[in-house]
Amino acid sequence: MDRYRKEKTLEMRKKLIGLSCRLFFPDNPVKIVRAKGQYLYDEEGRRYLDCIGNVHHVGHCHPLVVQAASAQMEVLNTNTRFLHDHLVEYAQRLSDTLPEKLNVFYFVNSGSEANDLALRLARQYTKHEDVIVLDHAYHGHVTSLIDISPYKFRKLEGQKEWVHVAPLPDTYRGKYREDHKDVAQAYADEVIQVIDEAHKRNRKIAAFFAESLPSVGGQIIIPVGYFQKVAEYVRRAGGIFVADEVQVGLGRVGKHFWAFQLQGEDFTPDIVTMGKPIGNGHPLSCVATTQEIADAFTATGVEYFNTFGGNPVSCAIGLAVLDVIEKEDLGGNAMKVGSYLLGLLNELKNKHPIIGDVRGVGLFIGVDLVKDPEERTPATEEADYVVKRLKEEYICMSTDGPGSNVLKLKPPMCFSMQDAKFVAEKIDLILTDMKGKLRFTDSVSG
């Protein structure tokens, strides 16, 4: 399995793989040769706790998922122009988890494909072009989605005339904060202004895209009621609401199967996109929408065909993932372990002033590190240092947020209470050690 020494693998990668495809821990990358559950193992057999792997939702190499993939691969793998039970059964199982009106499905291979198709559906249904997105959003790597991802386009060609950016509803360091009397309404009013400005330029809104829990934006928890209000304003303008669940769906929030459900039973998106975790590492993603939107897409007379989307092997894997979530009560585990971990991290917040905010729900958690608790200045270098030190303690973690200062935790859903305790203890150890470094910033940059 381990064909080359680590140094040789790294040398070949630098030579053969585009340098924009970055590695975790670039100064000293980890070479992973196998994984199981929430653990990764390097070429020396050292075990790392995976706090990054939201893709491997039910755990790395889960035996039921592996068995389902292998068994179906031995029998048949073809495309969806042939009838097959797995496709319709999987669609039905997903339908059972969603609001009733979201009952038509398109299967594709990645979150980017799902969001690109959602954009096409929205434009065909509304006959409009423009899209509203949240600041710092990321929706995928294909050209159409780079265009609606401020996280990317601000570093490239910039903002297109058909893209409109609304403030991220960040109640910790955003425009309206936790002490505002109605923060959901205040941020929703910003969307009204965006729509009004677009209309002044004779632009028409096709869709509002939002991650149900913005991750790249810094592990943000959307204030309850915001989506309902935004959906009302966007629909009034002739657009639809797209909920991007690519990173946060399938029970990660614990108390619900989908993160958009945190907003309440009175909110239903017009389109839901899903990916990453639904295939547990296998390339599988999906778009769920209403019959009306699907009918408008069909009315073009142009066939939609995806060579690999919805193939029998992918659907067998998707079904197995749903089975594991149910049988192992992984949503309940996310709620139990996530609540315990949030409690431990909040205890650390009281102990270490560098922790400005701890936020999260289920196994979606962010620890916002700050240079100054009052100013809430992002502690970017310090966060990078913590991640490097955690690696030395055999924990794989990464940062996110506009300031790259938010420690993000989106581990496999089999994460345990012992894992949570281990992570909190190691963060405490590192932050305590940092207090003793008189020239900490110099030690990081040097």
Side-chain angles (χ1 to χ4, degrees):
M1 182 171 14
D2 189 21
R3 294 173 60 86
Y4 306 111
R5 294 179 67 239
K6 176 180 171 180
E7 293 77 15
K8 178 65 174 177
T9 305
L10 183 58
E11 177 189 335
M12 293 174 69
R13 177 168 174 134
K14 288 179 177 178
K15 178 180 178 182
L16 298 168
I17 306 301
L19 295 180
S20 57
C21 302
R22 296 178 181 173
L23 286 161
F24 288 125
F25 319 112
D27 295 338
N28 185 20
V30 181
K31 182 178 182 182
I32 298 301
V33 298
R34 65 185 181 93
K36 193 74 174 174
Q38 63 271 51
Y39 302 110
L40 305 165
Y41 298 84
D42 71 9
E43 78 283 5
E44 300 291 339
R46 291 174 294 228
R47 190 181 81 172
Y48 293 79
L49 180 61
D50 182 6
C51 295
I52 300 171
N54 66 313
V55 175
H56 300 91
H57 193 66
V58 302
H60 292 273
C61 306
H62 194 288
L64 291 182
V65 178
V66 173
Q67 182 182 7
S70 177
Q72 184 56 49
M73 210 172 289
E74 287 183 349
V75 177
L76 171 71
N77 198 23
T78 186
N79 66 57
T80 54
R81 284 195 174 117
F82 295 102
L83 275 175
H84 197 277
D85 288 346
H86 283 354
L87 178 70
V88 293
E89 183 183 359
Y90 186 41
Q92 183 61 60
R93 289 280 297 278
L94 287 174
S95 178
D96 292 342
T97 71
L98 288 161
E100 186 177 355
K101 79 171 191 174
L102 295 170
N103 55 18
V104 181
F105 298 84
Y106 300 86
F107 291 102
V108 290
N109 304 293
S110 69
S112 291
E113 275 197 312
N115 281 328
D116 179 74
L117 177 56
L119 181 58
R120 288 183 61 191
L121 289 166
R123 285 174 165 169
Q124 183 59 40
Y125 177 70
T126 64
K127 307 298 184 186
H128 299 166
E129 181 184 17
D130 290 26
V131 175
I132 301 173
V133 292
L134 295 175
D135 206 358
H136 310 299
Y138 174 62
H139 294 289
H141 63 77
V142 299
T143 300
S144 65
L145 302 178
I146 295 293
D147 286 345
I148 65 168
S149 297
Y151 168 68
K152 293 289 186 181
F153 72 59
R154 293 200 194 284
K155 301 172 186 176
L156 296 168
E157 290 84 9
Q159 188 171 335
K160 299 290 193 294
E161 64 176 355
W162 52 270
V163 177
H164 312 277
V165 179
L168 178 68
D170 177 355
T171 59
Y172 179 64
R173 61 161 46 81
K175 185 175 182 178
Y176 308 105
R177 299 188 173 181
E178 67 275 4
D179 56 352
H180 194 280
K181 62 180 181 180
D182 191 349
V183 69
Q185 185 64 64
Y187 277 113
D189 287 345
E190 294 285 332
V191 178
I192 294 179
Q193 292 183 39
V194 169
I195 293 171
D196 288 345
E197 288 298 317
H199 286 171
K200 288 176 184 175
R201 295 192 288 120
N202 295 317
R203 310 297 308 185
K204 295 183 177 180
I205 306 301
F208 176 90
F209 268 73
E211 299 164 271
S212 298
L213 292 172
S215 179
V216 170
Q219 302 291 91
I220 302 300
I221 307 300
I222 300 286
V224 174
Y226 173 76
F227 279 175
Q228 289 92 324
K229 298 175 192 301
V230 169
E232 176 189 343
Y233 305 148
V234 170
R235 288 166 182 159
R236 189 190 303 162
I240 63 172
F241 193 107
V242 180
D244 180 341
E245 293 268 340
V246 169
Q247 296 208 55
V248 294
L250 268 72
R252 177 159 295 280
V253 300
K255 57 184 77 172
H256 300 288
F257 203 76
W258 302 104
F260 72 79
Q261 293 170 320
L262 291 167
Q263 292 284 308
E265 293 183 4
D266 59 335
F267 171 70
T268 299
D270 301 292
I271 295 177
V272 172
T273 60
M274 53 194 87
K276 292 186 190 295
I278 70 173
N280 209 55
H282 180 82
L284 171 63
S285 60
C286 182
V287 177
T289 190
T290 66
Q291 189 65 58
E292 294 76 14
I293 292 173
D295 286 346
F297 195 56
T298 303
T300 63
V302 177
E303 177 191 17
Y304 180 77
F305 174 65
N306 189 299
T307 303
F308 300 111
N311 70 72
V313 171
S314 294
C315 290
I317 290 170
L319 285 164
V321 169
L322 295 179
D323 287 341
V324 173
I325 292 171
E326 184 178 332
K327 289 176 182 176
E328 299 183 8
D329 187 25
L330 292 182
N333 187 65
M335 194 152 66
K336 179 182 70 174
V337 176
S339 295
Y340 176 62
L341 181 53
L342 279 167
L344 294 176
L345 293 170
N346 273 302
E347 289 177 13
L348 295 185
K349 178 177 180 289
N350 294 330
K351 180 179 178 181
H352 300 286
I354 193 173
I355 299 179
D357 191 39
V358 173
R359 49 185 177 265
V361 57
L363 286 173
F364 177 90
I365 295 172
V367 181
D368 198 316
L369 301 187
V370 297
K371 292 181 182 293
D372 183 291
E374 296 298 321
E375 296 296 325
R376 305 184 179 185
T377 313
T380 304
E381 297 85 0
E382 292 85 344
D384 181 61
Y385 176 81
V386 171
V387 166
K388 289 175 180 175
R389 280 286 308 275
L390 284 169
K391 180 205 164 198
E392 295 173 6
E393 301 291 343
Y394 303 106
I395 297 171
C396 289
M397 196 179 294
S398 59
T399 60
D400 238 328
S404 298
N405 65 301
V406 180
L407 305 178
K408 63 175 180 178
L409 293 99
K410 290 182 291 185
M413 295 278 280
C414 51
F415 213 65
S416 70
M417 303 286 269
Q418 292 79 9
D419 297 326
K421 187 170 184 287
F422 178 63
V423 167
E425 287 175 346
K426 293 304 182 183
I427 291 175
D428 185 23
L429 176 73
I430 293 165
L431 295 184
T432 300
D433 183 50
M434 281 168 55
K435 287 180 181 176
K437 292 185 180 294
L438 296 177
R439 299 185 64 200
F440 168 70
T441 303
D442 290 345
S443 73
V444 172
S445 60

